[in-house]
């Protein structure tokens, strides 16, 4: 009929709940990120401490630190930890360093880094590196640790989880261990791991394995338990043996849960990284952040955080890409 | 096709903190090879339990089930099963689902591939072999389930409400498909259904079962299944003879349901 408007086939009348929330729109994602940076800009840069004043103030603090050191009869080298501390101490005595600098200005110079500060720190990191390692070496060191942790966590965790899903004996045996170990914060185990395994990577990697192990066990177990009784029975009446049932039915059927586990483990592993790199390793983003903390280099901390966030997003995107290839049926039942 | 014989079957479920449930009591029957038996009855009458015992998924408390001379002790590829839904393997495409049984038995690709093509044709899915399961409608998925079951060339096909999740029109088409498969393959079929109409049209033998304890209350030998192979099933359903049996069974089941409700209220 003339004048009748054609309805688009994707016109939704239900716009609340799952029906509306299955797909996310890239525009809104972008808006979320812009909002975050906007808030950062407004609170630190637009209304924050003017950077030229801060430089003046820092110069004054540096002079004060040198004076203080010379009075004690020692040369000052700001790359040395104790001298850096001296500098920071002089910054804190704001009023003594520079009479024009007020207390609030001192505090704001030590508060959340502004966007220009962070960009400056990023430039410094990308050209000079930090603490004798380039930023790429730091990043790769952390990435390699996280990957090793997740790999061994999965290699051990998935079979244990599968066995728990399949046998009540295995479930009985492992259940108290899993539930007991799972809530322990990796940071609490730090010293024990260093004493047991040694300093550096010898303790850092086991700590990351510890972080992902329980997640992978629970994911694999849930995957097996999710297999419908109908699928198991159908397999048997089609002539499958027990081992065929496991390999051809239960493991593929558990893939969606295992991938969900990998995504959760990924987040938790990066979240454990700073703790894991307190084990005496020199390289790595977590180590970089801890050292920057000692020198009050908040801008470097923020750069480290941003890099971790970016890698996290990229790796999650990669796992999602694998999901779309390996388990295309997910969510389409 | 081997005959099925069920002897003195008793099934009692132990319920924690409650009286044991007598799911099946004194079930005895023989079913010649190539018959189509439908099981009908109110919920809780044990029809699915009976089917699961024949399939070998459950062991009876007492009694035996034989297929030919062979005692049934567990699931086997000579008794294929079709479920209501959710039993297909989503990670395999249509062809691989159908060839699952032969592949588990180590049959060569050159042997099972032509067989898969033939089965796709039989169930009306020619050209759908490479499709993924989630791309198919509910009716098409049940066609895959039927083909997968047939791929093992079983003596017997067991069906647990295979059409229960389908819309009315698709259901009618699938009823005709099942009748044609039954006619062409000559296999025995035992089918559980909730629909009286479906049970009467498809079953050349119908058991109406009653609950507490689960038992076979009435046995019908009906001509409609054979007639539906050559006549229009819709016309058969309209016929006075069909309607008469349907009313008789409906009022019988109705009375049983009333009785159950009354007993629970008391």
């Amino acid at each position: 009929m003339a004048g009748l408007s054609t309805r688009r086939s994707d016109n939704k009348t239900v716009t609340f709940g799952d029906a509306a929330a299955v797909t996310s729109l890239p525009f809104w994602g972008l808006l979320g990120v812009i909002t975050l940076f906007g808030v950062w800009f407004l609170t630190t840069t637009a209304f924050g401490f003017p950077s030229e004043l801060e430089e003046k103030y820092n110069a004054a603090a540096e002079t004060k630190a040198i004076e203080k050191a010379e009075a004690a009869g020692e040369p000052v080298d700001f790359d040395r930890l104790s001298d850096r501390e001296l500098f920071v101490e002089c910054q804190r005595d704001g009023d003594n360093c520079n009479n024009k600098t007020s207390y609030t200005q001192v505090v704001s110079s030590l508060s959340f880094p502004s966007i220009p500060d962070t960009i400056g720190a990023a430039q410094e990191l990308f050209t000079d590196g930090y603490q004798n390692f380039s930023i790429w070496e730091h990043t790769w060191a952390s990435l390699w640790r996280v990957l090793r942790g997740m790999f061994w966590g999965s290699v051990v965790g998935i079979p244990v989880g599968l066995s728990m899903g399949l046998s009540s004996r295995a479930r009985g045996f492992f259940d108290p261990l899993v539930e007991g170990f799972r809530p322990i914060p990796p940071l609490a185990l730090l010293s024990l791991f260093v004493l047991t395994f040694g300093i550096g990577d010898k303790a850092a990697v086991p700590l990351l394995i510890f972080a992902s192990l329980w997640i992978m066990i629970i994911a694999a177990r849930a995957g097996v338990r999710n297999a419908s009784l109908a699928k198991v029975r159908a397999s048997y009446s089609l002539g499958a043996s027990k081992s065929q049932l496991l390999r051809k039915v239960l493991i593929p059927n558990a893939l969606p849960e295992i991938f969900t586990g990998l995504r959760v483990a990924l987040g938790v592993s990066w979240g454990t990284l700073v703790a894991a790199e307190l084990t005496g390793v020199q390289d790595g983003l977590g180590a970089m952040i801890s050292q920057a903390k000692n020198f009050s280099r908040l801008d470097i901390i923020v750069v480290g955080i941003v890099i971790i966030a970016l890698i996290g997003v990229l790796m999650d995107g990669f796992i999602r890409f694998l999901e779309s290839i390996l388990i295309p049926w997910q969510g389409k039942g | 096709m081997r005959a099925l014989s069920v002897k003195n079957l008793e099934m009692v479920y132990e319920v924690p903190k409650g009286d044991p449930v007598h799911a099946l009591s004194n079930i005895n029957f023989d079913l010649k090879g190539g018959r189509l038996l439908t099981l009908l009855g109110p919920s809780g009458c044990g029809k699915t339990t009976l089917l699961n015992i024949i399939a070998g998924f459950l062991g009876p408390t007492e009694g035996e089930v034989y297929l030919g001379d062979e005692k049934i002790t567990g699931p086997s590829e000579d008794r294929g099963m079709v479920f209501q839904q959710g039993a297909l393997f989503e990670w395999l495409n249509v062809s691989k689902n159908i060839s699952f049984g032969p592949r588990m038995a180590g049959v060569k690709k050159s042997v099972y591939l032509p067989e898969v093509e033939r089965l796709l044709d039989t169930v009306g899915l020619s050209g759908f072999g490479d499709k993924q399961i989630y791309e198919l409608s509910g009716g098409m998925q049940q066609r895959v389930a039927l083909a997968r079951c047939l791929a093992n060339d079983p003596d017997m096909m067991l069906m647990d409400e295979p059409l229960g999740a389908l819309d009315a029109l698709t259901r009618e088409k699938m009823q005709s498909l099942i009748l044609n498969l039954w006619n062409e393959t000559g296999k025995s079929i035992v089918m559980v259904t909730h629909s009286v109409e479906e049970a009467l049209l498809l079953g050349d033998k119908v058991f109406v079962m009653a609950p507490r304890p689960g038992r076979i209350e009435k046995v019908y030998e009906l001509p409609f299944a054979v007639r539906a192979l050559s006549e229009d099933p819709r016309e058969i359903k309209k016929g006075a003879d069909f309607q008469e049996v349907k009313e008789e069974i409906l009022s019988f089941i109705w009375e049983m349901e009333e009785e159950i409700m009354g007993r629970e209220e008391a």
Side-chain angles (χ1 to χ4, degrees):
Chain A
M1 214 211 278
L4 194 72
S5 66
T6 50
R7 280 185 79 119
R8 275 174 49 194
S9 60
D10 59 346
N11 263 356
K12 286 192 187 112
T13 50
V14 178
T15 53
F16 186 80
D18 278 348
V22 267
T23 52
S24 58
L25 300 172
F27 167 75
W28 291 98
L30 202 61
L31 194 69
V33 174
I34 289 172
T35 308
L36 175 69
F37 277 84
V39 169
W40 185 11
F41 177 77
L42 289 175
T43 50
T44 60
T45 313
F47 306 118
F49 194 69
S51 53
E52 68 269 31
L53 253 183
E54 191 186 334
E55 267 166 35
K56 221 184 221 172
Y57 160 74
N58 276 343
E62 208 171 306
T63 316
K64 173 88 191 305
I66 292 167
E67 279 169 7
K68 209 170 174 178
E70 276 172 351
E74 281 171 6
V76 175
D77 172 9
F78 282 105
D79 282 343
R80 259 171 51 198
L81 181 60
S82 57
D83 291 344
R84 190 80 201 174
E85 278 169 347
L86 179 66
F87 170 62
V88 172
E89 185 194 317
C90 289
Q91 276 184 324
R92 290 210 185 96
D93 302 336
D95 290 332
N96 298 332
C97 291
N98 186 335
N99 291 332
K100 286 172 194 162
T101 320
S102 73
Y103 177 72
T104 45
Q105 284 169 326
V106 175
V107 170
S108 88
S109 81
L110 278 171
S111 68
F112 207 95
S114 66
I115 291 181
D117 285 349
T118 311
I119 293 171
Q123 279 169 342
E124 183 190 327
L125 280 174
F126 277 90
T127 48
D128 304 339
Y130 191 70
Q131 302 282 327
N132 305 325
F133 290 100
S134 77
I135 189 67
W136 303 110
E137 284 167 332
H138 280 306
T139 307
W140 172 248
S142 291
L143 184 61
W144 182 230
R145 271 182 206 116
V146 167
L147 288 176
R148 273 184 290 173
M150 281 181 61
F151 175 78
W152 290 112
S154 306
V155 163
V156 178
I158 293 174
V160 172
L162 292 176
S163 75
M164 285 177 79
L166 290 168
S167 129
S168 22
R169 267 183 217 158
R171 200 174 310 151
F173 183 84
F174 288 116
D175 198 52
L177 303 179
V178 172
E179 294 307 320
F181 275 114
R182 197 160 63 97
I184 299 174
L187 195 56
L189 292 166
L190 185 71
S191 321
L192 296 176
F193 271 48
V194 170
L195 281 174
T196 314
F197 300 112
I199 59 165
D201 269 349
K202 283 179 197 154
V205 175
L207 209 65
L208 289 167
I209 296 173
F210 182 88
S212 54
L213 179 66
W214 318 111
I215 297 169
M216 295 316 295
I217 291 178
I218 290 168
R221 174 188 172 177
V224 175
R225 288 178 61 117
N226 266 7
S228 69
L229 190 57
K231 276 198 186 76
V232 175
R233 287 180 164 176
S235 311
Y236 277 136
S237 64
L238 288 166
S241 65
K242 272 197 172 171
S243 95
Q244 282 172 331
L245 176 75
L246 176 66
R247 285 181 292 120
K248 307 285 183 181
V249 179
L250 292 177
I251 290 180
N253 191 70
L255 278 180
E257 276 81 9
I258 289 176
F259 269 95
T260 305
L262 278 176
R263 287 176 62 185
V264 176
L266 180 72
V268 171
S269 295
W270 283 105
T272 311
L273 187 74
V274 176
E277 292 184 350
L278 287 173
T279 51
V281 295
Q282 296 302 309
D283 53 356
L285 294 169
M288 184 181 97
I289 288 172
S290 326
Q291 283 163 357
K293 184 197 71 186
N294 292 338
F295 302 132
S296 303
R297 286 297 303 271
L298 299 179
D299 46 357
I300 289 187
I301 295 181
V302 172
V303 178
I305 290 169
V306 172
I307 293 174
I308 290 176
L310 282 176
I311 297 175
V313 170
L314 287 176
M315 283 178 76
D316 191 64
F318 179 66
I319 296 182
R320 284 200 218 188
F321 169 72
L322 284 182
E323 278 183 340
S324 71
I325 292 175
L326 292 172
I327 44 173
W329 68 90
Q330 194 185 24
K332 291 173 189 163
Chain B
M1 299 299 147
R2 287 179 285 175
L4 180 76
S5 93
V6 175
K7 290 175 184 163
N8 305 320
L9 213 60
E10 299 280 336
M11 187 72 184
V12 179
Y13 287 115
E14 295 293 337
V15 184
K17 294 180 198 166
D19 296 332
V21 174
H22 210 155
L24 291 173
S25 167
N26 194 28
I27 307 286
N28 280 290
F29 67 89
D30 288 301
L31 188 73
K32 278 185 206 152
R35 298 296 299 267
L36 204 169
L37 169 68
T38 52
L39 303 177
L40 196 59
S43 31
C45 70
K47 54 193 189 297
T48 297
T49 302
L50 178 56
L51 195 74
N52 283 335
I53 290 173
I54 297 171
F57 301 143
L58 297 174
T61 312
E62 267 175 52
E64 281 120 33
V65 183
Y66 290 89
L67 185 64
D69 303 329
E70 196 186 333
K71 188 178 170 183
I72 291 173
T73 53
S76 145
E77 61 268 36
D78 50 38
R79 281 158 284 124
M81 186 89 179
V82 177
F83 295 87
Q84 184 170 356
Q85 60 184 161
L88 293 175
F89 306 131
E90 295 94 342
W91 52 92
L92 302 175
N93 66 18
V94 170
S95 288
K96 291 234 161 124
N97 262 281
I98 296 175
S99 62
F100 186 86
R103 284 189 291 125
M104 293 306 105
V107 175
K108 278 189 192 136
K109 205 171 185 177
S110 57
V111 177
Y112 71 69
L113 272 186
E115 179 67 9
V116 167
E117 287 303 315
R118 195 185 63 75
L119 284 167
L120 280 171
D121 193 44
T122 311
V123 298
L125 285 178
S126 298
F128 282 89
D130 293 331
K131 287 263 188 264
Q132 298 299 318
I133 297 303
Y134 60 83
E135 296 175 297
L136 304 182
S137 67
M140 287 159 104
Q141 292 188 3
Q142 288 311 81
R143 286 169 194 262
V144 177
L146 287 169
R148 185 176 70 173
C149 180
L150 284 169
N152 271 338
D153 196 22
D155 279 286
M156 194 166 224
M157 292 174 82
L158 306 172
M159 304 186 184
D160 191 0
E161 295 194 46
L163 312 181
L166 304 180
D167 64 273
L169 212 66
T170 311
R171 193 166 183 157
E172 279 189 15
K173 284 186 195 162
M174 293 294 289
Q175 288 170 354
S176 299
L177 175 68
I178 289 175
L179 280 175
N180 286 331
L181 288 178
W182 173 58
N183 185 41
E184 282 163 24
T185 61
K187 295 193 184 308
S188 314
I189 297 180
V190 179
M191 180 181 188
V192 166
T193 176
H194 266 124
S195 156
V196 175
E197 209 175 68
E198 187 168 281
L200 296 186
L201 184 71
L202 297 188
D204 80 328
K205 191 164 189 168
V206 179
F207 287 171
V208 182
M209 296 179 67
R212 305 183 192 207
R215 61 197 186 272
I216 298 167
E217 194 70 17
K218 289 191 174 179
V219 178
Y220 292 87
E221 306 263 353
L222 297 172
F224 307 118
V226 178
R227 271 172 57 193
L229 291 168
S230 51
E231 292 172 41
D232 181 0
R234 289 194 169 187
E235 293 303 319
I236 294 174
K237 284 180 194 171
K238 281 181 203 157
D241 44 354
F242 189 93
Q243 288 297 329
E244 192 186 326
V245 188
K246 184 179 162 185
E247 278 310 312
E248 187 183 317
I249 293 177
L250 272 177
S251 56
F252 178 67
I253 292 177
W254 182 260
E255 274 167 31
M256 279 194 289
E257 297 268 15
E258 290 277 279
E259 195 188 325
I260 296 165
M261 300 295 281
R263 214 186 293 173
E264 266 164 16
E265 274 162 29

